[in-house]
Amino acid sequence: MKGYFPIILISLLCLSFSSWGQQKFTLSGTISESSSNETLIGVTIAIPELSTGVTTNEYGFYSITLPEGTYKVLISYLGFKDVLQEISLTENRRLDYLLDEEAEELEEVVVTENVEKMDIRKPQMSVNTLSVGTIKKIPVILGEADVIKSILLLPGVTNAGEGASGFNVRGGSADQNLILLDEAIIFNSSHLFGFFSVFNPDAIKDVKLYKGGIPARYGGRVSSVLDIFQKEGNSKEFKMNGGIGAVASRLLVEGPIKKDKAAFLIGGRASYAHLFLPLFDVDNTAYFYDLNTKLNYRINDKNNIFLSGYFGRDVFGINDSFVNTYGNTVANFRWNHLFSDKLFSNLSLIYSDYYYGLKLDFVGFNWNSGIRNFNIKYDLKHYATDKLQVNYGINNVYYQFNPGKIEPSNDESGIVEEQLTQKYANEFAAYVDIEHRVTDNLSLGYGLRFSHFTRLGQDELNVYADNRPVEFDPFLLIYKEAEPIDVINPGRGTTLSNFSNFEPRASLSYTLNETSSIKASYTRLAQYLHLLSNTSSPTPLDVWTPSGPFTKPQLLDQYAFGYFKNIKDADYSIETEVFYKEVQNRIDYIDGANLIANNAIEQVILNGEARAYGLEFLLRKNEGKLQGWLAYTLSKSEQRTPGRASIGDDGRTNLESGINFGNWYNTPYDKTHDVSLFLNYDVNDKWSFSSNFTYQTGQPTNYPIGQFQFQDLTVPYYGLRNTQRLPAYNRLDLSATLTPRKNKHRKIQGEWVFSLYNVYNRRNAASISFRQNDDTGANEAVRTSIFGIVPAVTYNFKL
């Protein structure tokens, strides 16, 4: 770890000495869309004479330092007209550019990094970017465009099946993904238990998924980062767009508060399928609603402020006697400040809250739980030279965990109010990240993140003999909960545990020729929060818990190597990567573990380790009437929880059997083969067609391996964990988009989207259970499927 500081200092000194004696000036500015002043992320600013260039940051800002001279500046961005301008650089200059769309279409602004030749030179790897336009073209269930469902078509990304929430990246679990919306942490990304995501595509500006080579500015999760930015709002004119679908509708309104200076954005969605249930004599409810908001104000050329928020709720009820409510609330205040034409800063004050509530009238009590955090971030980007960019910053997150509170719903219930012990923690991090173009062929990315996690005191804490909350019975060969020998009251002002970690990151890109390169990366990450869930897919009832006296932080080491090639002037591109990663301190649960309303969760968890490795392949067609990609992943994901003390320092002994006798076993999200094909064909300006095909190896599960009789009952018993699999999953979806030619003469422009989900009506197994047939007495397997073929129609419009 210590070697990183000399490397960083030497790089900075070498670049400084090399620039002495040379007259250099800085070209900087902001690039926006001409029709709305919406800043654009990832725009390429190229200087062809010097074979160099830069891309805009998350706020549309760019800066490049060049020798004095006259140059052609090429501004290019997918979906927009190129700008070519000759400039004379004899002093520092600020040039802001407004880009025009190539064609007026109904789809939103195409926001994605352009596939330029220079992309193969960047050391960044294991990153996928999806445009909002592409997301809207991908056929999904019930016709609702969906960010999470779209990234499942990328290599290395899967989930636990239809109707499952969350997603898995490179063999990791869903809780190992850091999901950010305008920098705020989203703890549950699903509506209606996984059928939809919380992200309204109308309000989204940029979607980026980091699977490896994760920059040092990110931390806190060990699998991936899904970074989503909302649009800022149109500061030129009032605009409105939305859609009416089979189960949900949406509306987004944006416009200037002060023209060219300030703008607002308000977007809302709501589902209404439950309104039709009474027609079928069904007295149940299942719906969601959410709201996206954003305000921005340009104070001057050096200062911009933003205020953004998201609020969403899901409601599921049965006859008013059972009502489940859950959702996210986030708010973020950001201040962009330009210290100079080379130094850009962003200060963020962020609030995030995830709430889960249950109303159970039939048993007479209400339940609520959740996690809340307050985050302050300060990030700076220094454009030192055209070959060196330095990112650095700090952030601090304070967490409050409510594992559950029970309240009587009426005076006659007999329920006693009880608050499970709340937990508190603080996570601090500081980082430096460097992008360094060493030669025309070699580019490096390297950085270091330091994280420090403090588990703060709480009202009650169990004390166990030998500090072991889980006991092993050597006669029955089972684990069981240990009885506390004492309960102490540490108090909020104390510290229960401290954890510190250095998290180095390194990546390189070596250009073989003008069209191909090889890349490699190493990533170290620490995760201090754990999601308590013994299902393959997270549920809203799952509870987050911090690392502490009995639970250690997860630590990841990931290595990746890849080959990248552009074909036919980047009309096609190939990305191939291999990866290997190890995770220390991955928890698992003893047999029969009860996670719900458990005030001593340490009694049912064991520390282990996990590993995953695989090959990813992505072939993309980026230009022309036919566009799309083919993705294939071959991978393995395993976990091991031995009883002996070789994993961690938790007091385990060699006499214990561990889980699966200490051997490696499949994780619930292990998928050997994963194939995804997405194609979109624009026939003309009126019709376009899209399709996607998915094939996955069935996910691991457990089937009974035998049975025994006990007092006239047939009791099944199970073998080792995750040794069986569900049948392979495959599905074909189709959609057609009709854009009437009359749109050109109308103020309100519309389009119709017709979709077919699961075209050949395959009954993919969500689960397989076993039961005894009441008539024959024979055992039988019962397959549970979520969806067959599902047609849908959606009408989209914009004003």
Side-chain angles (χ1 to χ4, degrees):
M1 306 296 179
K2 297 180 180 178
Y4 267 81
F5 294 105
I7 292 174
I8 293 171
L9 291 174
I10 290 171
S11 298
L12 292 172
L13 289 173
C14 288
L15 265 293
S16 299
F17 289 140
S18 66
S19 64
W20 286 2
Q22 300 179 27
Q23 192 73 1
K24 291 191 174 185
F25 300 102
T26 300
L27 176 67
S28 64
T30 301
I31 299 181
S32 309
E33 180 197 351
S34 62
S35 64
S36 65
N37 278 338
E38 184 84 31
T39 57
L40 299 174
I41 303 173
V43 180
T44 298
I45 302 93
I47 314 297
E49 294 97 323
L50 301 179
S51 297
T52 189
V54 70
T55 57
T56 55
N57 69 3
E58 290 83 358
Y59 300 93
F61 179 78
Y62 75 94
S63 176
I64 186 168
T65 300
L66 304 167
E68 180 179 2
T70 300
Y71 305 101
K72 286 186 174 66
V73 179
L74 176 63
I75 313 294
S76 59
Y77 194 62
L78 190 64
F80 289 80
K81 295 178 181 178
D82 289 351
V83 174
L84 183 63
Q85 180 183 2
E86 186 172 275
I87 65 165
S88 178
L89 197 61
T90 57
E91 60 181 353
N92 293 337
R93 295 187 63 181
R94 179 181 176 111
L95 288 178
D96 297 333
Y97 290 94
L98 295 174
L99 301 188
D100 297 322
E101 288 186 73
E102 287 184 333
E104 289 293 330
E105 298 176 347
L106 185 69
E107 289 81 22
E108 292 298 306
V109 174
V110 179
V111 181
T112 184
E113 289 193 5
N114 200 353
V115 187
E116 299 282 340
K117 291 181 181 178
M118 283 193 301
D119 286 347
I120 64 172
R121 300 179 185 274
K122 293 180 181 179
Q124 183 65 64
M125 65 182 301
S126 306
V127 176
N128 293 116
T129 304
L130 281 181
S131 72
V132 176
T134 298
I135 290 171
K136 288 187 173 184
K137 292 176 181 177
I138 295 174
V140 291
I141 183 69
L142 297 171
E144 291 298 311
D146 194 291
V147 172
I148 301 297
K149 297 294 187 295
S150 299
I151 67 173
L152 296 177
L153 299 176
L154 298 171
V157 187
T158 64
N159 76 349
E162 290 172 326
S165 62
F167 57 97
N168 309 110
V169 176
R170 289 186 170 177
S173 63
D175 67 300
Q176 293 175 335
N177 303 314
L178 177 64
I179 303 175
L180 301 174
L181 179 64
D182 276 352
E183 301 181 297
I185 301 172
I186 301 294
F187 287 96
N188 187 324
S189 62
S190 299
H191 279 313
L192 294 183
F193 306 100
F195 292 127
F196 306 98
S197 76
V198 300
F199 306 110
N200 182 349
D202 288 342
I204 290 173
K205 175 179 180 177
D206 187 69
V207 177
K208 228 182 230 79
L209 176 68
Y210 297 85
K211 300 178 293 186
I214 297 173
R217 67 180 180 272
Y218 298 109
R221 301 292 186 275
V222 297
S223 193
S224 75
V225 177
L226 180 61
D227 198 5
I228 299 175
F229 278 86
Q230 295 187 119
K231 294 168 61 179
E232 296 166 4
N234 192 320
S235 65
K236 284 188 172 293
E237 57 182 336
F238 179 88
K239 291 286 185 180
M240 182 170 62
N241 65 278
I244 302 171
V247 296
S249 290
R250 63 191 191 279
L251 180 67
L252 183 135
V253 179
E254 56 183 326
I257 300 174
K258 184 177 181 181
K259 192 168 183 178
D260 295 329
K261 292 280 288 185
F264 74 92
L265 178 146
I266 300 176
R269 290 189 304 170
S271 67
Y272 40 71
H274 67 288
L275 298 177
F276 303 102
L277 294 179
L279 299 177
F280 304 96
D281 198 26
V282 177
D283 190 20
N284 297 343
T285 57
Y287 64 92
F288 72 87
Y289 57 92
D290 55 30
L291 179 70
N292 298 78
T293 62
K294 198 161 189 178
L295 299 173
N296 79 81
Y297 179 63
R298 183 180 182 184
I299 301 173
N300 51 43
D301 287 345
K302 292 191 175 182
N303 294 278
N304 293 273
I305 57 174
F306 305 84
L307 180 62
S308 61
Y310 169 84
F311 177 81
R313 282 293 182 267
D314 280 72
V315 179
F316 175 73
I318 301 176
N319 300 324
D320 290 331
S321 61
F322 172 89
V323 180
N324 178 200
T325 305
Y326 64 93
N328 298 277
T329 302
V330 302
N332 185 5
F333 172 80
R334 282 175 289 166
W335 170 39
N336 290 171
H337 177 66
L338 198 60
F339 284 101
S340 69
D341 52 14
K342 291 187 176 183
L343 185 58
F344 180 93
S345 71
N346 179 69
L347 173 68
S348 298
L349 305 175
I350 308 167
Y351 168 80
S352 177
D353 176 57
Y354 174 68
Y355 167 82
Y356 179 85
L358 276 176
K359 176 184 175 183
L360 300 169
D361 272 353
F362 64 95
V363 289
F365 74 85
N366 299 329
W367 164 277
N368 68 79
S369 62
I371 176 173
R372 182 178 300 165
N373 73 75
F374 304 88
N375 185 3
I376 180 170
K377 294 173 74 266
Y378 193 48
D379 302 290
L380 298 102
K381 185 161 190 172
H382 186 196
Y383 299 83
T385 72
D386 63 321
K387 293 182 171 60
L388 186 74
Q389 297 177 21
V390 184
N391 300 275
Y392 48 94
I394 59 173
N395 79 282
N396 192 84
V397 187
Y398 173 78
Y399 296 98
Q400 179 181 354
F401 303 85
N402 175 19
K405 182 179 181 179
I406 299 175
E407 297 175 316
S409 59
N410 54 67
D411 296 336
E412 293 78 27
S413 68
I415 300 295
V416 178
E417 181 174 320
E418 180 181 1
Q419 170 68 63
L420 301 184
T421 303
Q422 298 198 53
K423 302 177 178 67
Y424 308 89
N426 192 81
E427 183 176 352
F428 169 82
Y431 74 91
V432 60
D433 216 351
I434 295 176
E435 299 174 39
H436 185 183
R437 187 175 177 185
V438 182
T439 68
D440 288 344
N441 296 93
L442 179 63
S443 296
L444 301 178
Y446 45 93
L448 182 66
R449 181 183 182 90
F450 170 76
S451 58
H452 179 78
F453 189 83
T454 303
R455 173 72 178 273
L456 302 172
Q458 58 194 51
D459 293 338
E460 294 182 354
L461 181 70
N462 291 336
V463 179
Y464 300 92
D466 300 323
N467 204 34
R468 292 172 58 182
V470 182
E471 293 181 344
F472 180 73
D473 189 325
F475 300 102
L476 298 178
L477 297 179
I478 60 172
Y479 287 95
K480 59 184 181 179
E481 303 171 7
E483 288 293 329
I485 60 174
D486 194 9
V487 178
I488 61 175
N489 302 93
R492 292 279 302 279
T494 62
T495 297
L496 300 181
S497 301
N498 281 298
F499 304 96
S500 296
N501 285 285
F502 287 97
E503 305 173 36
R505 322 284 170 86
S507 59
L508 68 85
S509 172
Y510 185 79
T511 304
L512 302 175
N513 50 50
E514 289 298 314
T515 62
S516 61
S517 67
I518 55 174
K519 299 184 182 184
S521 67
Y522 165 73
T523 306
R524 171 87 165 182
L525 287 160
Q527 177 171 337
Y528 299 99
L529 306 187
H530 307 265
L531 182 65
L532 301 176
S533 175
N534 54 7
T535 62
S536 58
S537 171
T539 69
L541 186 56
D542 296 335
V543 175
W544 291 82
T545 190
S547 297
F550 307 108
T551 311
K552 298 178 182 179
Q554 301 177 68
L555 299 175
L556 165 96
D557 292 287
Q558 180 174 217
Y559 309 85
F561 179 82
Y563 172 76
F564 303 82
K565 184 174 180 61
N566 289 330
I567 304 171
K568 290 189 176 181
D569 198 26
D571 285 356
Y572 297 84
S573 60
I574 294 175
E575 303 176 24
T576 304
E577 294 189 35
V578 292
F579 67 90
Y580 177 81
K581 64 182 191 180
E582 297 176 325
V583 179
Q584 303 174 41
N585 304 322
R586 180 61 185 164
I587 64 172
D588 207 342
Y589 309 98
I590 65 175
D591 291 334
N594 178 27
L595 304 182
I596 299 176
N598 191 336
N599 208 23
I601 201 66
E602 67 274 4
Q603 296 176 342
V604 296
I605 60 177
L606 296 172
N607 280 326
E609 61 180 346
R611 68 184 181 189
Y613 46 91
L615 164 71
E616 296 175 357
F617 173 81
L618 180 64
L619 170 64
R620 300 190 69 146
K621 188 176 187 302
N622 305 299
E623 302 290 343
K625 286 191 172 185
L626 178 66
Q627 296 185 26
W629 66 79
L630 171 66
Y632 172 68
T633 306
L634 173 67
S635 62
K636 187 67 179 174
S637 175
E638 299 175 298
Q639 190 163 336
R640 185 165 72 106
T641 311
R644 55 188 181 278
S646 59
I647 303 297
D649 185 21
D650 55 4
R652 309 258 61 92
T653 71
N654 290 327
L655 298 177
E656 300 182 15
S657 62
I659 296 176
N660 277 22
F661 300 106
N663 298 316
W664 290 99
Y665 53 96
N666 296 324
T667 64
Y669 21 87
D670 174 60
K671 305 281 184 70
T672 308
H673 302 283
D674 180 15
V675 181
S676 298
L677 175 65
F678 167 70
L679 295 173
N680 180 79
Y681 182 67
D682 293 323
V683 179
N684 49 41
D685 59 354
K686 184 177 181 179
W687 284 101
S688 68
F689 297 90
S690 297
S691 68
N692 56 260
F693 173 77
T694 301
Y695 172 88
Q696 294 177 355
T697 301
Q699 68 187 67
T701 189
N702 294 290
Y703 297 148
I705 61 173
Q707 63 185 31
F708 61 88
Q709 297 294 129
F710 178 75
Q711 295 182 352
D712 297 327
L713 294 176
T714 300
V715 181
Y717 62 88
Y718 296 81
L720 301 179
R721 289 192 187 182
N722 297 338
T723 53
Q724 292 88 23
R725 289 184 182 271
L726 294 175
Y729 180 99
N730 62 86
R731 192 189 76 243
L732 174 67
D733 309 323
L734 298 174
S735 72
T737 301
L738 169 62
T739 306
R741 291 195 171 104
K742 294 180 181 180
N743 274 349
K744 297 178 181 179
H745 309 292
R746 291 174 175 172
K747 188 174 182 179
I748 299 179
Q749 299 184 356
E751 70 175 13
W752 292 92
V753 180
F754 308 94
S755 64
L756 271 179
Y757 179 87
N758 196 0
V759 172
Y760 47 82
N761 198 31
R762 178 176 170 82
R763 309 300 293 186
N764 288 295
S767 65
I768 293 181
S769 58
F770 294 84
R771 69 186 183 190
Q772 189 177 37
N773 188 291
D774 293 335
D775 298 326
T776 66
N779 292 331
E780 60 183 8
V782 179
R783 176 191 297 223
T784 301
S785 300
I786 305 295
F787 290 114
I789 184 171
V790 181
V793 179
T794 302
Y795 176 73
N796 297 321
F797 62 89
K798 75 173 183 177
L799 174 63

